[in-house]
């Protein structure tokens, strides 16, 4: 094999090794080289030399493997951003969903709810294509992965997924749409407990007081409230490679202007495609720290990124295609505040691509130190957004071939 130069090693680190990307610089160059050697050796062992190179560091970590079905749990080591430590059910057994039926209090073994509420770590997969119409919110317990790869799985037509006061959850490869309100009913959240649930909002994925959460490669549309909402002190979240369409209020991050506990919220929004029929909130932020990086915005009707209560928004390497409506060219919306207030909020745009008259209204001093808590990975150039987001949404993965 040809000699690997230092330049090649560093290029490999930046392009193909998501586990090494960090918001904190490594001071010792020798440590970088050692980590690159380790990464290259693992790549040779598992995938052959280097990767299939989409430029999406999450996908390049696992999608090249034709034996992905036998190595499903490898996915848990591929997360990046603020939710990179979400391991889901990596350390547990495989649980196979065989039955699309649902009972909110007495779920049968083989159903999605039965697996999701267990106390032990579980990696949940699906035996075949199925549409699951939940009768009430699916209360996901800690240390769970719901992995739709290898089947076409739709959570649709009823209440959808709730991640409440739990940790280490991965939601991957699902079609989540047409979600309705649930509640005013008893719902089980563990093998030993069920309780009365009041009326829910009708979100696709609702994260309430959750931490270490990763929502990746899902297709979401047309829910009653938000597609993905994170509130009430939730943090350490990555929302990546999702395809979102046909919805009004897409993503709310932060409960209310008065709920100060959300000041510690850190969310990475990366490699998503915000597509046809979207109106606003991609995302709408409050209080915390938000890294919006390498997403493709092809549709909005009102605005793309907004917020109130002085959130820190770090927009890097995104592609923004404005609508033809000349009154909706602005990407940003400073909510519920006069200019004398929002002019001090830290909102920046670095390396973003503006198309069809799109423009980003910056605010704050602009000093890089202000964005330290809103920086979670190295942004790629906006010119690469097409390839990075090409596979956004749920994937059709087949056994024995690359996903």
């Amino acid at each position: 094999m040809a000699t690997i130069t230092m330049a090649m090693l560093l290029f490999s680190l930046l392009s193909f090794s998501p586990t090494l990307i960090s918001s904190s610089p490594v001071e010792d160059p020798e440590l970088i080289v050692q980590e690159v050697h380790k990464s290259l050796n693992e790549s040779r062992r598992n995938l052959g030399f280097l990767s299939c190179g989409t430029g999406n560091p999450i996908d390049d970590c696992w999608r090249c493997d034709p034996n992905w079905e036998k190595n499903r749990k490898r996915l848990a080591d591929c997360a990046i951003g603020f939710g990179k430590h979400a391991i889901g059910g990596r350390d547990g057994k495989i649980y196979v969903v065989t039955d699309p039926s649902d009972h909110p209090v007495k779920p049968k073994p083989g159903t999605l709810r039965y697996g999701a509420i267990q106390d032990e770590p579980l990696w949940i997969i699906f035996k075949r294509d199925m549409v699951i119409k939940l009768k009430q919110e699916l209360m996901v317990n800690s240390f769970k992965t719901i992995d739709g790869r290898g089947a076409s799985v739709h959570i649709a037509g009823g209440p959808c997924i709730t991640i409440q006061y739990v940790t280490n959850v991965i939601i991957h490869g699902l079609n989540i749409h047409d979600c309705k309100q649930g509640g005013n009913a008893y719902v089980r959240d563990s093998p030993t407990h069920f309780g009365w649930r009041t009326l829910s909002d009708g979100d696709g994925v609702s994260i309430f007081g959750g931490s270490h959460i990763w929502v990746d490669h899902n297709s979401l549309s047309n829910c009653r409230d938000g597609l993905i909402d994170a509130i009430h002190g939730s943090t350490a979240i990555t929302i990546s490679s999702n395809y979102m369409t046909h919805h009004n209020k897409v993503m709310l991050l932060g409960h209310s202007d008065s709920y100060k506990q959300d000041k510690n919220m850190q969310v990475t929004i990366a490699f998503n495609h915000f597509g046809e029929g979207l109106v606003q909130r991609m995302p709408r932020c409050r209080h915390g720290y938000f890294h919006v990086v390498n997403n493709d915005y092809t549709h909005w009707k009102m605005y793309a990124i907004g917020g109130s209560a002085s959130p820190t928004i770090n927009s890097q390497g995104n592609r923004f295609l404005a609508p033809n409506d000349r009154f909706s060219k602005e990407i940003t919306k400073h909510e519920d505040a006069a200019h004398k207030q929002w002019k001090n909020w830290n909102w920046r745009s670095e390396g973003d691509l503006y198309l069809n008259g799109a423009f980003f209204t910056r605010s704050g001093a602009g000093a890089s130190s202000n964005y330290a808590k809103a920086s979670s990975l190295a942004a790629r150039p906006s010119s690469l957004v097409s390839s990075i987001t090409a596979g956004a949404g749920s994937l059709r993965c087949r056994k024995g071939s690359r996903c």
Side-chain angles (χ1 to χ4, degrees):
M1 180 178 291
T3 301
I4 299 175
T5 67
M6 180 68 72
M8 291 173 64
L9 289 171
L10 293 176
F11 175 79
S12 301
L13 169 67
L14 294 173
S15 302
F16 303 109
S17 182
T19 58
L20 302 177
I21 294 173
S22 171
S23 59
S24 301
V26 178
E27 294 182 356
D28 186 352
E30 187 59 32
L31 289 178
I32 295 179
V33 175
Q34 290 174 10
E35 289 294 323
V36 173
H37 276 298
K38 179 181 176 182
S39 175
L40 289 176
N41 287 335
E42 289 175 351
S43 296
R44 291 189 189 101
R45 255 196 326 271
N46 296 324
L47 307 176
F49 186 61
L50 295 180
S51 73
C52 49
T54 66
N56 181 324
I58 296 172
D59 288 2
D60 290 347
C61 176
W62 69 269
R63 280 186 67 185
C64 312
D65 185 1
N67 294 314
W68 62 268
E69 190 181 39
K70 295 178 181 178
N71 302 319
R72 282 182 178 271
K73 293 182 181 180
R74 176 183 173 84
L75 177 70
D77 298 322
C78 296
I80 62 173
F82 291 122
K84 65 184 175 183
H85 297 304
I87 62 172
R90 184 192 67 189
D91 299 332
K93 299 176 182 176
I94 297 284
Y95 172 92
V96 183
V97 178
T98 58
D99 182 349
S101 71
D102 182 51
H103 194 290
V105 179
K106 297 179 181 179
K108 294 190 294 184
T111 62
L112 174 58
R113 190 179 300 273
Y114 185 91
I117 64 168
Q118 296 303 309
D119 291 328
E120 64 181 295
L122 288 176
W123 195 281
I124 299 170
I125 66 173
F126 298 82
K127 187 175 182 179
R128 63 179 185 277
D129 296 355
M130 60 182 69
V131 177
I132 299 175
K133 184 177 180 179
L134 296 164
K135 294 183 177 179
Q136 296 294 338
E137 297 167 89
L138 180 70
M139 307 297 294
V140 181
N141 209 338
S142 294
F143 294 98
K144 299 294 179 293
T145 298
I146 302 178
D147 177 3
R149 288 176 296 175
S152 177
V153 179
H154 292 254
I155 310 294
C160 290
I161 297 173
T162 297
I163 300 168
Q164 179 170 308
Y165 295 130
V166 296
T167 186
N168 283 281
V169 174
I170 299 172
I171 307 294
H172 181 93
L174 304 178
N175 299 279
I176 303 169
H177 56 94
D178 298 290
C179 299
K180 312 298 184 186
Q181 284 186 302
N184 292 330
Y186 286 103
V187 181
R188 185 170 294 279
D189 59 3
S190 79
T192 58
H193 178 266
F194 65 89
W196 182 259
R197 299 287 295 173
T198 56
L199 202 62
S200 67
D201 291 334
D203 296 331
V205 177
S206 174
I207 306 169
F208 189 104
S211 62
H212 301 295
I213 311 298
W214 184 24
V215 182
D216 181 64
H217 267 298
N218 302 284
S219 295
L220 303 105
S221 64
N222 196 36
C223 295
R224 183 189 180 276
D225 190 35
L227 294 183
I228 303 172
D229 285 2
I231 60 173
H232 269 263
S234 299
T235 193
I237 299 166
T238 294
I239 299 168
S240 59
S241 295
N242 300 287
Y243 183 41
M244 305 181 202
T245 60
H246 300 102
H247 191 78
N248 180 9
K249 299 176 180 179
V250 177
M251 195 184 305
L252 174 66
L253 305 176
H255 178 66
S256 68
D257 288 3
S258 61
Y259 194 82
K260 304 295 179 63
Q261 289 92 323
D262 282 329
K263 284 189 173 182
N264 294 321
M265 180 181 288
Q266 290 179 297
V267 182
T268 300
I269 301 105
F271 319 142
N272 302 285
H273 183 180
F274 295 98
E276 182 181 1
L278 300 181
V279 179
Q280 60 180 315
R281 298 189 179 185
M282 298 169 245
R284 189 235 195 269
C285 309
R286 289 185 173 106
H287 290 298
Y289 301 89
F290 307 95
H291 196 188
V292 184
V293 55
N294 289 144
N295 300 281
D296 196 9
Y297 290 83
T298 56
H299 294 80
W300 70 80
K301 292 183 181 178
M302 291 176 61
Y303 68 91
I305 299 172
S308 60
S310 190
T312 297
I313 298 176
N314 186 11
S315 174
Q316 295 184 307
N318 300 287
R319 182 169 66 176
F320 296 103
L321 174 64
N324 289 327
D325 182 350
R326 65 189 180 94
F327 298 107
S328 300
K329 300 294 187 182
E330 186 174 4
I331 295 161
T332 47
K333 185 179 182 183
H334 297 77
E335 300 263 15
D336 305 324
H339 177 264
K340 64 181 181 180
Q341 293 174 290
W342 66 252
K343 70 179 182 179
N344 296 316
W345 299 354
N346 290 315
W347 292 19
R348 78 172 177 185
S349 169
E350 281 194 343
D352 290 327
L353 177 63
Y354 308 129
L355 301 173
N356 200 32
F359 67 97
F360 188 111
T361 302
R362 298 167 175 84
S363 55
S368 59
S369 59
N370 295 333
Y371 296 91
K373 290 185 178 180
S375 299
S376 58
L377 61 128
R380 306 299 303 279
S382 58
S383 59
L384 300 179
V385 163
S386 288
S387 61
I388 290 172
T389 63
S394 61
L395 300 165
R396 289 296 285 174
C397 301
R398 296 182 178 181
K399 182 178 178 180
S401 62
R402 290 179 176 179
C403 196

